[in-house]
Amino acid sequence: MSKLYEALQMELVPPESGGNLRGSTMPRLAMGSRQSMEALYQSLENALPGIARKVVLFSASRAGEGTTTIVREFALALSLVFRASVLLVDANSNHGAARAFGDEEALPLPNLLRGLQASDAEHAKQPGVTVTFFDPEVANGPAGQANGGSSLGDALREHFDYVLFDAPALGSSAAAVSLARHVDGVVIVIDSERTRWPVVENTKKAYESTGAKVLGVILNRRAFCVPNWVYKWF
């Protein structure tokens, strides 16, 4: 399992208006996160070659690892830096990603998909972030199917450059693994100061048991015990 990138503690920034072509409030990128998000983008591009529009799931072993913060920042970077159309699928019961974008009244994913099928697909590909809700408990039922029985991921990539699933931690919802069949790959977020590798390995195996491709891990809140000036000597 490869390491996608190592992220320092990131600062949450309150939402401010402007810049979102979807019509809802667009927060700013957190200070110092742009470089990390650009590195994550390049890593995912390299990990999923030949897939023009990507569907990626972010999850963790347990709650509090920082998954929602990272997905939020990555969605912003994709939109503002890479000018991509992004769908952020909030699959958490607390709807943290939707609150971060000031979009608590976003449509459930099946409703959004029906609206997209009836709209101009090219118009939906304009840069911006769209937020939607989805319950992982129903991912394997009729609500988890698009027209013709295709997966949600395949249907959604027709309308968005990137689809990001903010999945609940496996410790909070075992149903999170059911989302994996809709995506191109899974990224596991780790709080590097408190999560043990055997726990991460169990999470990796749980996703791989569904046939999902685990792309790597993100070490979040990594502490550098050696002062930065020391690294200049090497």
Side-chain angles (χ1 to χ4, degrees):
M1 180 168 56
S2 63
K3 180 174 64 179
L4 288 179
Y5 82 112
E6 298 171 350
L8 297 175
Q9 175 75 46
M10 291 189 292
E11 174 189 355
L12 283 174
V13 178
E16 67 175 13
S17 61
N20 189 358
L21 298 182
R22 301 295 183 202
S24 59
T25 301
M26 174 70 87
R28 294 174 295 175
L29 274 170
M31 293 178 60
S33 71
R34 174 166 174 164
Q35 184 176 8
S36 295
M37 294 301 111
E38 289 177 347
L40 175 57
Y41 172 82
Q42 294 299 333
S43 294
L44 289 176
E45 290 293 309
N46 292 335
L48 296 170
I51 302 178
R53 300 191 179 100
K54 298 172 176 59
V55 184
V56 182
L57 182 146
F58 291 76
S59 185
S61 299
R62 54 189 181 183
E65 307 266 17
T67 305
T68 296
T69 301
I70 287 174
V71 173
R72 166 192 180 272
E73 292 296 298
F74 189 44
L76 286 170
L78 287 170
S79 174
L80 298 175
V81 179
F82 297 101
R83 307 301 297 164
S85 59
V86 184
L87 178 66
L88 198 166
V89 182
D90 187 337
N92 286 285
S93 59
N94 63 3
H95 297 164
R99 290 200 310 273
F101 281 90
D103 207 359
E104 294 91 335
E105 297 182 0
L107 290 174
L109 182 55
N111 294 12
L112 174 71
L113 186 58
R114 285 193 292 270
L116 289 173
Q117 291 168 345
S119 67
D120 181 359
E122 289 302 319
H123 177 72
K125 292 175 186 175
Q126 297 300 312
V129 179
T130 300
V131 180
T132 185
F133 298 131
F134 191 58
D135 184 353
E137 295 285 349
V138 300
N140 288 324
Q145 295 289 335
N147 286 352
S150 62
S151 73
L152 284 173
D154 289 337
L156 292 169
R157 78 172 82 246
E158 295 180 9
H159 300 276
F160 298 94
D161 299 316
Y162 256 89
V163 179
L164 308 178
F165 279 80
D166 180 16
L170 290 192
S172 303
S173 173
V177 296
S178 64
L179 296 169
R181 70 187 184 91
H182 299 290
V183 305
D184 300 317
V186 175
V187 176
I188 300 172
V189 179
I190 304 170
D191 185 333
S192 60
E193 296 300 303
R194 72 184 183 102
T195 304
R196 298 174 62 86
W197 277 106
V199 176
V200 180
E201 281 294 328
N202 288 338
T203 301
K204 174 177 177 285
K205 290 176 182 177
Y207 276 109
E208 288 180 336
S209 69
T210 69
K213 180 179 181 180
V214 177
L215 303 174
V217 304
I218 291 174
L219 297 180
N220 194 26
R221 306 185 182 111
R222 182 172 180 236
F224 289 87
C225 300
V226 179
N228 287 335
W229 64 266
V230 174
Y231 289 105
K232 297 179 181 179
W233 291 95
F234 297 94

